[in-house]
Amino acid sequence: MPRVVCVAGARPNYMKIKPVMDALERRGAEVVLVHTGQHYDPAMNDVFFADLGIRPPDRFLGVGSGTHAEQTGRVMTAFEPLVGEVSPDIVVVVGDINSTLACALVTAKAGPLLAHVEAGLRSRDWSMPEEVNRVATDRVSDYLLAPSPDAVVNLRAEGYRDDQIHLVGNVMIDTLLTNLERARASDVLGRYGLSRGEFGLVTLHRPANVDDPEVLAGLLKALGEIADRCPLLLPVHPRAAGRLADIGVPGGVRLVPPAGYLDFIALQDAARLVLTDSGGIQEETTALGVPCVTLRDNTERPITVEQGTNVLAGRDPARIVSTVHRVLDDPPAPRRPDLWDGRASDRIAEVLLEGGTARTRPRPTDQPTPVDRTFPI
């Protein structure tokens, strides 16, 4: 059985890597968990490991914060000797954070097979760092593990071979379904004095939304108007905490500390609606059948709009308010996409363990068949 390095670096990764690790280990693979330390705040890190039952990482790189270039460079510098020492057969990276790209580049140059979980997602917004990360990671990956049919369409349009592309489903939903009853047993509603279906849940963390005071002030204005009809709970992301304090939060919007995984799923499950700029929450609300209003102009998860409960509202305050009123008046019907069934990680493990080795399978830039390299003069 192969040795597989699984990489996690930040909160969005933990829910994706845990079921993949479990599925690989059930089949006898040797799994080495590497935590890059991109998220180092205990509220965004330790509580998720505890809630999800993730074992302590085998290696912790401790890279911390910095600019995109600084963070990516530090992850690469720390991960390169680790790959040389561990000599994995396969490296699995998930999502689209800086750690994902950094470890993908090191792996591609070192020679092991590289698998990208959540391959093929595209927002079409090149100003998003995550878009650059996911496109570049896909380019150097041997296995492109797509969560939805739209991702497969994107990869085929970009010229990837069929033997690289695998429609496996959504690993986030594996974790959600595994832990849903535990989440529903949480006392978080009682702690905050909330009743099911009587509140809205808000998350804000995207740089485009929280780094510009004018944009953030407009979003808060919209939230204040919405709170007149539906009180809102906002667990504060560390990135946004200081800026929210500087601008001030309108009445009806209640700030609370960041929530652990189980508490947050319980809050989503009980909310009347969710307002977010997070990609993962668009997926979780779709799986839960909870109306979601996304505070962005685009989404790399269009299936949550086409086959789920998500509605794009953009960032214009008036449009956000009108969209929320429409959703509250006529909530979208719950729909869950195909293959969001809790078995995506099993399909991933089967692909990786039956796909051959770096010596036997084509690599990312190999041609599927011989090509005519003569050109007319």
Side-chain angles (χ1 to χ4, degrees):
M1 283 293 175
R3 177 177 295 162
V4 184
V5 165
C6 290
V7 177
R11 169 181 165 170
N13 290 173
Y14 307 149
M15 296 83 81
K16 301 167 189 174
I17 206 65
K18 174 63 161 65
V20 175
M21 291 171 53
D22 290 347
L24 288 168
E25 289 179 335
R26 282 196 300 270
R27 289 161 174 78
E30 178 186 353
V31 175
V32 178
L33 175 59
V34 175
H35 188 331
T36 69
Q38 181 171 328
H39 269 177
Y40 49 90
D41 187 317
M44 305 297 291
N45 184 40
D46 297 351
V47 66
F48 278 80
F49 271 63
D51 280 355
L52 296 173
I54 304 176
R55 59 180 166 83
D58 299 292
R59 301 296 180 90
F60 181 73
L61 305 185
V63 300
S65 63
T67 68
H68 289 283
E70 290 168 344
Q71 200 171 61
T72 303
R74 283 202 294 269
V75 174
M76 292 181 71
T77 301
F79 190 63
E80 184 178 50
L82 185 152
V83 171
E85 177 189 344
V86 174
S87 297
D89 300 289
I90 305 169
V91 173
V92 179
V93 296
V94 297
D96 52 24
I97 64 172
N98 290 337
S99 295
T100 304
L101 174 60
C103 293
L105 292 174
V106 168
T107 301
K109 292 186 177 185
L113 294 172
L114 176 65
H116 184 200
V117 176
E118 286 198 333
L121 298 181
R122 300 290 183 265
S123 69
R124 317 295 176 196
D125 182 355
W126 205 243
S127 70
M128 289 179 64
E130 296 88 350
E131 181 79 348
V132 178
N133 288 346
R134 60 178 75 102
V135 168
T137 299
D138 282 347
R139 183 61 272 174
V140 296
S141 293
D142 298 277
Y143 296 106
L144 299 165
L145 304 166
S148 50
D150 57 281
V152 171
V153 170
N154 291 336
L155 292 168
R156 286 178 173 160
E158 292 171 16
Y160 293 97
R161 302 188 313 266
D162 284 346
D163 69 277
Q164 293 176 274
I165 303 169
H166 303 270
L167 177 60
V168 295
N170 192 328
V171 290
M172 287 272 287
I173 309 309
D174 290 19
T175 297
L176 174 65
L177 296 179
T178 297
N179 292 282
L180 185 55
E181 292 310 311
R182 291 176 62 220
R184 286 173 172 165
S186 166
D187 66 349
V188 67
L189 297 182
R191 272 184 274 137
Y192 290 139
L194 300 171
S195 299
R196 174 174 288 273
E198 301 280 326
F199 68 97
L201 181 65
V202 183
T203 76
L204 290 172
H205 80 282
R206 294 274 177 188
N209 282 345
V210 302
D211 287 357
D212 185 327
E214 185 176 346
V215 172
L216 183 56
L219 293 174
L220 290 172
K221 177 179 181 294
L223 294 180
E225 293 184 39
I226 294 163
D228 289 338
R229 179 174 179 184
C230 178
L232 300 176
L233 187 78
L234 200 170
V236 180
H237 191 286
R239 162 178 277 280
R243 295 175 177 86
L244 290 171
D246 291 341
I247 295 174
V249 177
V253 179
R254 180 181 176 188
L255 301 185
V256 297
Y261 179 75
L262 295 176
D263 283 353
F264 194 75
I265 292 298
L267 290 170
Q268 287 188 77
D269 184 55
R272 185 176 178 187
L273 85 162
V274 175
L275 297 100
T276 189
D277 56 9
S278 162
I281 291 172
Q282 296 171 47
E283 296 175 316
E284 290 170 343
T285 49
T286 283
L288 292 168
V290 174
C292 178
V293 175
T294 295
L295 308 178
R296 288 167 47 187
D297 297 313
N298 51 60
T299 178
E300 64 280 1
R301 294 161 171 87
I303 195 169
T304 64
V305 177
E306 298 159 3
Q307 298 183 33
T309 57
N310 186 27
V311 179
L312 281 179
R315 296 186 296 162
D316 176 72
R319 182 180 171 193
I320 292 170
V321 172
S322 65
T323 300
V324 168
H325 284 311
R326 187 173 71 250
V327 168
L328 290 174
D329 291 337
D330 184 20
R335 295 175 295 175
R336 186 182 297 173
D338 291 340
L339 300 186
W340 291 28
D341 56 2
R343 297 191 58 247
S345 54
D346 290 319
R347 289 185 282 267
I348 288 171
E350 290 170 8
V351 168
L352 299 186
L353 298 182
E354 297 174 6
T357 69
R359 293 184 299 275
T360 62
R361 64 172 285 117
R363 301 312 300 268
T365 54
D366 286 347
Q367 294 285 355
T369 56
V371 295
D372 182 4
R373 298 191 181 279
T374 61
F375 297 90
I377 298 176

